[in-house]
Amino acid sequence: MATFSKVAVIGSGVMGAGIAAQIANAGVRVLLLDIVPKEGGRNSVAEGAIARALKTDPAPFMSAAAARLVEPGNIEDDLARVAECDWIVEVVVERLDIKQALYRKLDALRRPGTPVSSNTSTIPLKTLTEGMPDAFVRDFMITHFFNPPRYMRLLELITGPATDPALARRVADFCDVALGKSVVACHDSPGFIANRLGVFWMTSAVTEAPLHGLTIEEADAIMGRPFGIPKTGVFGLMDLVGLDLMPHVNASMQGALPPADEFHAVNRDVPIARKLIETGYTGRKGKGGFYRLNREGGKRVKETIDFATGEFRPERRADLPELKAAGRDLRALFETPGRVGAYAWKVMGHTLGYAAKLVPEAADSILDIDEAMRLGYNWKHGPFELIDQVGADWLAAKLRADGFAVAPILERAAGRSFYRVHEGKRQYLGLDGAYHDVVRPEGVLLLEDVKLTQKPLLRNASAAVWDVGDGVLCFEFTSKSNALDEPIMTLLQKTITLVRDKYKALVIYNEGRNFSVGANIGLALFAANMAAWAQVEALIATGQEIMQKLKYAPFPVVSAPSGMALGGGCEFLLHSSAVQAHAETYAGLVECGVGLLPGWGGCKEMLGRWSTDPKMPKGPMPAPMKVFEMISTAKVAKSAAEAREMGILRKADGITMNRNRLLADAKRRALSMVDGYKPPEPREIVLPGPSGKVAIEQAVQGFAKLGLATRHDIVVSGELATVLTGGRTDIIDIVKESKLLELEREGFLRLLRTPATLARIEHMLETGKPLRN
């Protein structure tokens, strides 16, 4: 992988600061430069951007340590320091004269061969480099990040005919491996890929909704889940992006696209949108947009604009039986009589037709178009995957009936699909009319590809086991939300035996949105309501037994989480030989939030880690207090880096920035541990006993007096304190793992029998939110 030790980011606005933060998240030093303000310190613009980023939610930085890697400066005093940097990223205002004046200064100061890129989304590369020296043109490219840069995985890379291919590859590799981006190569065409298509789709959706007699809620319901698009739909997305940005983006498209382009037909004035912008309703960053939160009278009422009256009214749930009738059949939705089907077709049908025209204008292949929309706009399926759902022939015929010119690639797909699986490989239809293998970048291993070539070695309703090669098995959760249940534990038991007898190592990994949201508390609630206490106790005991077997297995066990790893999911990480975590891993022991304790050894493992931390003060009390603070508040790490700070990940555990590289990295880690592997020795921990429990309970009582802890919080905290201090021993004592597991099990069962905990579980299942009782 190409490595950069220092990067200059010039421009510290929202995007510039976000790009700087993500580079720092990769452990790379950043020089962040901006103008010298008329008032304040000379570096105050860049300093202010860093300070705001540290307060922003969602956070641009993955840790406070990452923020310390960003050094603020200014263009007047510090521009010559770009000579220290291995890559220069320009993120200044979208004015050609300002950009080119900066480029001329940079060209005189940078080291020869240093790549320079712009984050522009509106100015073509050809225009940016016009009149620039040949050496600069050779080293120049566009790296178009999406907002927010930490969380949006798409990066569009645009090069020109004179760009050095090796240098572009170096930048692309760094953005892929170090920054975690899926790099999509785009042609130097207006809007590149994602915004070209996304703006067409959004503009069409907004202009057509009132024409079809739809409310905003109805339009978002149609454009959302039926197509695998986030439930925010279009109007919610516009609020997120900012209504005031759209006129500028649309004007840019209007001026750059040829007169015959279909965009001009959908780019019509929407009076209600204009009125919202004029009155300060620019989206979530302002007073609201198409949606707003009305806080009058101390209430929080979500409202939306009414197309008919132009006034805000309380949001209403969209009741569209047509969507339920069509189900997942997109062709049925398009053919549904009335306003619902007509709107779906006019917006999405035409968007799919427009997408087909972008090959080869904006990209070389359908793969690039689909990847850009999946990652840039969070579509579950790319446009060509959606076309396969309705059929290319059918789509082409319906477009012709509308007078919409059909793209050549759509004609070429007649009687065929754009994607197919052939001899265990996924293939796509190329411009030449032939199918080509989908080739993954080196270092990428996906379970979805493995599944094309084999059947699982073991499987039940909640899990499956796959052979990922070189003697490594992959255990995959497949239950709803990857919630942990008895079938998972049963299959893990069999898997441990299988690996011990025939394989080298085990990786626990899946490609769901979340690693695991924890144990299936709905089953626990059902069992409690049925008074099936023996069943609950057996599930806790089985979970503890499996976790111990994973920890002390005679082979390496590597957990590879991404997304949420909560409760029992976090306990899997704590009992693994090693963890290779995606950078966006959100882990924590959250059971106290529903009135329970970690029951599968989470308390035990966290105590063990913090009691042996060389930075902790001496004595038996600091570790229990530290662990109590995290578990009692159900604290969740907001990144893998933060999980390491909390002790959920160890210093030796790895972090993978690119989600697509996680399985390969985890497999590599497991194989590196095989030779000479020995499981850890059972641990004994010195704990403070009853006096320690009293100290913790006194602290909780203090919080209760301040109104920060409820009556049931006190009960839950008491049970947690019992576990963390070692139970009812008379003095400071050495406590074995088995004793801590027993205390966890007993405390869990006592709490599950309380009406207050059952109420919390029921409320969480119904609303997804914690109940304070």
Side-chain angles (χ1 to χ4, degrees):
M1 181 201 83
T3 56
F4 296 145
S5 61
K6 190 172 185 178
V7 176
V9 176
I10 304 176
S12 64
V14 172
M15 284 302 297
I19 292 168
Q22 183 64 1
I23 295 169
N25 289 335
V28 176
R29 291 176 300 142
V30 181
L31 178 64
L32 180 62
L33 305 180
D34 212 312
I35 61 171
V36 175
K38 293 179 179 179
E39 297 179 358
R42 293 184 68 79
N43 297 339
S44 61
V45 175
E47 289 170 346
I50 297 169
R52 284 190 298 275
L54 284 167
K55 297 176 183 178
T56 299
D57 188 21
F61 289 108
M62 292 180 180
S63 67
R68 291 193 288 272
L69 292 174
V70 183
E71 179 185 358
N74 71 78
I75 294 172
E76 292 182 19
D77 301 330
D78 304 307
L79 195 62
R81 293 185 60 196
V82 298
E84 305 168 8
C85 301
D86 304 310
W87 176 27
I88 302 167
V89 187
E90 170 268 301
V91 203
V92 302
V93 65
E94 290 286 84
R95 274 181 51 184
L96 180 62
D97 58 334
I98 292 176
K99 288 180 185 289
Q100 287 197 329
L102 175 63
Y103 295 163
R104 290 188 179 92
K105 292 178 183 178
L106 291 174
D107 195 39
L109 298 169
R110 69 189 179 107
R111 295 195 311 266
T114 301
V116 179
S117 69
S118 173
N119 186 61
T120 183
S121 60
T122 61
I123 305 176
L125 183 145
K126 181 180 179 180
T127 304
L128 289 172
T129 56
E130 190 173 358
M132 298 300 298
D134 290 345
F136 183 87
V137 176
R138 186 184 61 241
D139 298 339
F140 186 81
M141 62 202 77
I142 292 172
T143 49
H144 182 215
F145 290 81
F146 280 68
N147 193 30
R150 170 182 166 182
Y151 300 96
M152 298 301 289
R153 291 171 57 193
L154 176 64
L155 183 134
E156 293 179 322
L157 177 66
I158 298 89
T159 58
T163 306
D164 181 355
L167 197 62
R169 184 71 262 161
R170 188 171 177 228
V171 171
D173 287 346
F174 178 79
C175 292
D176 170 354
V177 180
L179 303 188
K181 303 304 173 188
S182 285
V183 180
V184 172
C186 306
H187 296 168
D188 191 19
S189 61
F192 313 132
I193 297 175
N195 282 346
R196 173 78 174 276
L197 186 55
V199 169
F200 179 94
W201 168 65
M202 289 193 296
T203 303
S204 178
V206 172
T207 57
E208 292 293 336
L211 298 178
H212 284 79
L214 294 166
T215 66
I216 283 175
E217 299 96 325
E218 289 171 336
D220 278 347
I222 296 167
M223 278 298 113
R225 288 178 174 168
F227 295 101
I229 291 170
K231 63 181 180 180
T232 50
V234 174
F235 290 93
L237 178 60
M238 292 277 283
D239 283 356
L240 185 62
V241 172
L243 272 67
D244 55 328
L245 292 179
M246 296 312 296
H248 300 289
V249 173
N250 285 23
S252 174
M253 290 287 191
Q254 187 85 15
L257 292 169
D261 194 274
E262 286 80 359
F263 174 76
H264 301 297
V266 302
N267 187 31
R268 300 190 296 273
D269 180 55
V270 181
I272 194 72
R274 182 164 27 86
K275 178 186 174 184
L276 286 169
I277 296 169
E278 290 170 353
T279 54
Y281 285 94
T282 56
R284 294 189 187 181
K285 63 185 178 183
K287 299 186 294 184
F290 290 107
Y291 294 93
R292 75 173 183 183
L293 199 60
N294 189 338
R295 294 182 172 89
E296 290 180 5
K299 297 180 180 179
R300 291 166 58 89
V301 180
K302 190 174 182 181
E303 297 180 334
T304 188
I305 202 77
D306 190 301
F307 283 133
T309 66
E311 302 297 328
F312 282 98
R313 57 160 175 76
E315 181 186 27
R316 293 196 292 259
R317 186 172 179 272
D319 184 15
L320 298 172
E322 297 95 331
L323 293 182
K324 193 172 184 180
R328 297 183 179 181
D329 187 339
L330 296 187
R331 189 188 293 190
L333 176 58
F334 285 147
E335 293 178 331
T336 298
R339 60 194 183 116
V340 172
Y343 180 71
W345 166 252
K346 186 72 174 181
V347 177
M348 187 55 80
H350 284 206
T351 296
L352 298 181
Y354 194 68
K357 293 190 170 190
L358 299 188
V359 184
E361 181 187 345
D364 287 332
S365 76
I366 67 170
L367 291 176
D368 298 323
I369 304 293
D370 279 354
E371 185 83 337
M373 293 309 293
R374 283 195 303 264
L375 299 182
Y377 280 78
N378 285 325
W379 288 17
K380 184 177 181 180
H381 311 288
F384 291 92
E385 292 172 319
L386 290 173
I387 292 172
D388 277 351
Q389 291 186 34
V390 299
D393 291 355
W394 180 89
L395 179 68
K398 195 161 175 59
L399 287 170
R400 283 192 208 95
D402 276 9
F404 194 104
V406 176
I409 195 169
L410 200 54
E411 301 276 17
R412 209 165 283 139
R416 297 184 292 175
S417 60
F418 281 106
Y419 292 98
R420 72 175 187 180
V421 175
H422 180 68
E423 296 181 351
K425 294 182 178 180
R426 195 174 190 225
Q427 297 184 324
Y428 68 96
L429 187 65
L431 281 168
D432 57 0
Y435 283 101
H436 303 269
D437 291 345
V438 174
V439 179
R440 304 295 184 190
E442 184 179 351
V444 171
L445 173 63
L446 298 180
L447 207 52
E448 68 174 79
D449 293 340
V450 172
K451 293 176 181 180
L452 298 178
T453 64
Q454 61 177 260
K455 293 182 178 180
L457 299 176
L458 300 170
R459 165 174 265 167
N460 63 20
S462 297
V465 180
W466 305 91
D467 186 340
V468 293
D470 301 310
V472 179
L473 296 189
C474 176
F475 190 93
E476 177 195 22
F477 306 140
T478 61
S479 56
K480 184 178 180 181
S481 300
N482 293 328
L484 305 171
D485 55 19
E486 188 174 355
I488 285 177
M489 297 303 175
T490 300
L491 200 68
L492 257 176
Q493 188 90 268
K494 295 178 181 178
T495 304
I496 291 169
T497 302
L498 179 61
V499 178
R500 183 195 64 201
D501 294 345
K502 296 183 178 181
Y503 293 87
K504 296 178 182 178
L506 176 65
V507 170
I508 302 175
Y509 163 91
N510 64 75
E511 289 170 0
R513 179 172 295 180
N514 296 306
F515 178 74
S516 174
V517 296
N520 189 333
I521 57 173
L523 293 177
L525 178 64
F526 177 78
N529 287 333
M530 297 292 291
W533 301 113
Q535 181 182 342
V536 175
E537 187 166 3
L539 181 60
I540 300 301
T542 300
Q544 290 185 346
E545 178 187 359
I546 292 297
M547 295 296 174
Q548 291 296 93
K549 284 187 174 182
L550 288 175
K551 180 176 180 178
Y552 295 111
F555 51 82
V557 177
V558 176
S559 283
S562 180
M564 290 190 286
L566 305 179
C570 183
E571 286 173 306
F572 267 96
L573 311 188
L574 293 170
H575 288 85
S576 298
S577 315
V579 175
Q580 186 69 36
H582 180 226
E584 299 299 344
T585 294
Y586 317 118
L589 296 169
V590 297
E591 290 85 349
C592 286
V594 291
L596 293 170
L597 301 184
W600 289 342
C603 299
K604 162 183 70 71
E605 289 303 307
M606 290 296 282
L607 275 174
R609 294 186 181 192
W610 282 99
S611 65
T612 55
D613 188 319
K615 294 182 180 180
M616 289 294 288
K618 302 298 181 184
M621 197 64 196
M625 284 298 294
K626 180 71 174 180
V627 176
F628 178 85
E629 176 189 317
M630 288 187 284
I631 297 179
S632 65
T633 58
K635 183 177 180 180
V636 176
K638 294 182 179 179
S639 67
E642 196 170 302
R644 182 177 279 158
E645 294 172 358
M646 289 173 60
I648 295 170
L649 268 61
R650 293 154 289 202
K651 289 182 179 179
D653 288 331
I655 296 176
T656 296
M657 294 294 283
N658 192 317
R659 177 69 175 81
N660 288 346
R661 295 180 176 276
L662 183 57
L663 178 55
D665 286 354
K667 176 186 171 182
R668 190 180 304 113
R669 180 67 190 279
L671 287 171
S672 73
M673 300 172 70
V674 169
D675 289 344
Y677 179 76
K678 292 182 181 179
E681 293 293 328
R683 183 189 287 140
E684 294 181 341
I685 306 171
V686 176
L687 294 175
S691 61
K693 181 182 178 184
V694 170
I696 291 175
E697 288 178 332
Q698 286 177 343
V700 174
Q701 289 292 345
F703 284 121
K705 289 178 181 178
L706 295 172
L708 301 176
T710 67
R711 182 178 300 176
H712 195 54
D713 289 336
I714 296 172
V715 174
V716 175
S717 296
E719 293 289 356
L720 179 59
T722 297
V723 176
L724 297 180
T725 56
R728 296 170 177 80
T729 51
D730 294 331
I731 55 173
I732 295 174
D733 200 2
I734 297 175
V735 180
K736 295 183 177 181
E737 287 189 354
S738 58
K739 176 63 175 177
L740 288 172
L741 288 172
E742 179 186 331
L743 291 171
E744 283 189 31
R745 186 168 60 248
E746 290 173 351
F748 183 98
L749 290 168
R750 278 195 294 269
L751 287 170
L752 190 59
R753 290 174 182 267
T754 63
T757 286
L758 295 179
R760 285 190 179 188
I761 295 173
E762 191 168 353
H763 187 267
M764 175 64 75
L765 291 171
E766 288 179 356
T767 68
K769 298 177 182 179
L771 172 68
R772 289 185 57 78
N773 60 345

